[in-house]
Amino acid sequence: MSEQSVPTRERAPDEPVVRYAVDPRAERPPGRGFKLLSSGLGSMVPVVVVLALWQGGSMAGLIDKTFFPAPSECVQALVELFSSGELLPNVGITAQRILLGFLLGVIPATLLGIAMGRSRWVRVLIDPLIAITYPIPVVAILPLLLVIFGTGGRPIVVLAGIISFFPAVVNAMSGVLQVDERLILMARNLGAGRQQILWKIVLPGALPSIFAGIRLAAGLALLGTIAGEFLAASDGVGSMTWRYWQIYQIDNMYATLAVIAAMGFFLTTVTLRVQRRFFSWTEGQS
Amino acid sequence: MRIEIDNVAKGYPRADGSRLSVVGSLSTTIEAQEFVCVIGPSGCGKSTLLGLLGGLRRPDDGEIRFVGERTAAGPLTSIVWQDYALIPWRSIADNVGFGLELRGVPAARRREVAREHLTMMGIEAFADNKPHELSGGMRQRAGIARALASDPEVLLMDEPFAAVDAQTRTLLQDELLQVWSKHRKTVLFITHSIEEALLLADRIIVLGPRPTRVVEEIRVPFPRPRTRDVELDPRFTELKRHLWAQLRDATLAAEWAEAKGDR
Ligand SMILES: Nc1ncnc2c1ncn2[C@@H]1O[C@H](COP(=O)(O)OP(=O)(O)O)[C@@H](O)[C@H]1O
Ligand SMILES: [Mg+2]
């Protein structure tokens, strides 16, 4: 090929020229400060700032100490609750209730959701029941649970179970329904039977959605357990919160709230890790 | 095996309760080891016909018969899909071995067969990748490898190269010709490209608009092994013109029907 096969023409001096004025902000990369703040450790900065403001405001008398005792006092209260041996057994009790309630809700919910996704008969029979019961605020049936299961841990576990049932069943069903129909046809063409399609296509395909439901359920099991303990328990972290509120030991109340928050944080982080680890393929398609 | 398609009809229920007739009493025979291309206007029922041949749907009327001794170990047919239909959470090798897995072939043997077919399609380097990490052309090579690895009597291909770019399509056509010349399985290949049909097929079946039936069958005269040079043959141009004349009116009619919402 010749290098000058297409001759070009010089621009005449008076030819008008137009250029775009591209907004330089459109492609500015994130700066160093932003990167620092969005890193793992950097994300602690806003938390620390708020706590520091709170501490400072409290010490300067700008914040009402009766409702917002300084963080340092809450930490002290937490240490005392821990060293007096009161805290850990109650954390154990609450954790056990969360876990039992979670399993009680999630296992039948996932199985039922899968059955609903696979069979239009099961779906048409169960769907109306879920539609009617879903909107009921489950805490409202706590009195009923107390009548049925008596006092103690059992009604609380059942409450946590019922609350975590719903997101798990709905997500399992929609996960199964959303499995790529073409993959099912592909498998059938290659000779797959119903069982093989279920185990090799439908369940793995629905797994990310099933797991998303399970994550929601874990959070709700915690919520249900704490709410139940507020109202109907004499042990567990939730009942401690409630009790310290009633006897007006606000710093102790905050200490128990911090423990609940930590349990919630632990739940979301662990489940998120599992999700990232096992379901990273969900980002791509066929 | 030979496929006898005997007065096959298929329709779908419409929303208003009536029935949309898609394949109207269609008959033809595909000989063992024959490479047949099917062309027809879009929406005429080519994929529906392929689904009937692949055992995904039952004909409303008529019969499809696979005749002759079974020569392959796998299913009667395996389909190569236009949009690949690879399982996104499996590696390419596990996708290719899927047909074998379904019939209980042990894992070691599966891996061996998968590797063999990946090598044949030139994508052994991607054995451990996930489908979404591959280009369209690579994915379709994996799709072909899966279909062949499952060892069917008949290979059914539904516009397999329609979703890849023109250059890659050219490569894939050449590769398919090569691979086919080795195993010589019976192939039914749907395409909307007349040139593709003339390059690949022993015989071309032209389908008419819906409800579709065979408008014409022509034998492609070029000897095998074939290369792209058939395009230089004067008969190529002549056949191309003839086929386009067959398709033109039906294609126009199909476009009108679609625009009027008659589906
Ligand atoms: N599962 C289905 N249900 C209802 N109508 C369908 C279904 N599959 C295809 N059709 C209709 O049947 C006609 C033929 O479709 P198809 O066989 O995919 O055509 P082609 O592959 O020739 O483009 C189209 O009008 C399409 O809308
Ligand atoms: Mg089609």
Side-chain angles (χ1 to χ4, degrees), chain A residues 198-213:
Chain A
L198 177 68
W199 287 102
K200 293 179 191 295
I201 303 288
V202 173
L203 289 184
L207 213 54
S209 175
I210 291 175
F211 193 77

Side-chain angles (χ1 to χ4, degrees), chain B residues 11-13 20 22-23 40-49 57 158-159 190 207 210 258 262-263:
Chain B
Y12 297 108
L20 173 71
V22 174
V23 178
S42 89
C44 78
K46 301 182 294 294
S47 295
T48 301
L49 176 65
R57 297 176 182 283
D158 192 355
E159 305 200 28
I190 292 173
L207 295 183
R210 221 172 42 217
E258 195 148 329
D262 172 27
R263 291 165 175 271

Side-chain angles (χ1 to χ4, degrees), chain A residues 39-126:
Chain A
S39 69
L41 214 61
S43 63
M44 296 303 294
V45 171
V47 181
V48 171
V49 167
V50 168
L51 285 177
L53 284 176
W54 180 357
Q55 180 79 31
S58 184
M59 291 196 317
L62 295 173
I63 302 176
D64 188 347
K65 274 193 165 190
T66 38
F67 296 117
F68 301 100
S72 60
E73 290 169 39
C74 298
V75 170
Q76 203 181 344
L78 183 62
V79 170
E80 275 162 26
L81 284 180
F82 178 79
S83 49
S84 74
E86 186 188 350
L87 187 62
L88 274 190
N90 282 298
V91 168
I93 288 169
T94 300
Q96 196 184 359
R97 285 177 184 154
I98 294 172
L99 183 67
L100 286 177
F102 169 76
L103 294 176
L104 183 73
V106 154
I107 292 172
T110 303
L111 295 177
L112 184 64
I114 291 168
M116 288 173 74
R118 282 296 274 172
S119 152
R120 65 171 85 123
W121 268 106
V122 179
R123 194 156 63 244
V124 85
L125 289 175
I126 305 291

Side-chain angles (χ1 to χ4, degrees), chain B residues 54-98:
Chain B
L56 301 175
R57 297 176 182 283
R58 273 194 307 196
D60 298 337
D61 206 5
E63 202 183 26
I64 293 169
R65 294 182 290 267
F66 293 81
V67 184
E69 292 296 322
R70 296 221 41 171
T71 54
L76 280 175
T77 71
S78 48
I79 298 178
V80 177
W81 305 79
Q82 176 174 346
D83 44 13
Y84 325 123
L86 298 172
I87 303 172
W89 56 87
R90 285 178 173 234
S91 70
I92 293 297
D94 287 347
N95 265 288
V96 172
F98 186 63

Side-chain angles (χ1 to χ4, degrees), chain A residues 188-254:
Chain A
R188 268 186 32 217
N189 169 248
L190 292 179
R194 269 186 79 82
Q195 288 299 312
Q196 284 180 314
I197 288 175
L198 177 68
W199 287 102
K200 293 179 191 295
I201 303 288
V202 173
L203 289 184
L207 213 54
S209 175
I210 291 175
F211 193 77
I214 288 178
R215 275 196 71 198
L216 286 171
L220 286 176
L222 177 113
L223 184 102
T225 302
I226 300 298
E229 287 180 349
F230 274 3
L231 302 174
S234 53
D235 50 7
V237 189
S239 85
M240 285 172 72
T241 309
W242 194 256
R243 196 169 66 246
Y244 287 127
W245 155 247
Q246 284 188 319
I247 60 175
Y248 233 67
Q249 295 183 9
I250 302 297
D251 49 353
N252 278 337
M253 185 195 83
Y254 274 104

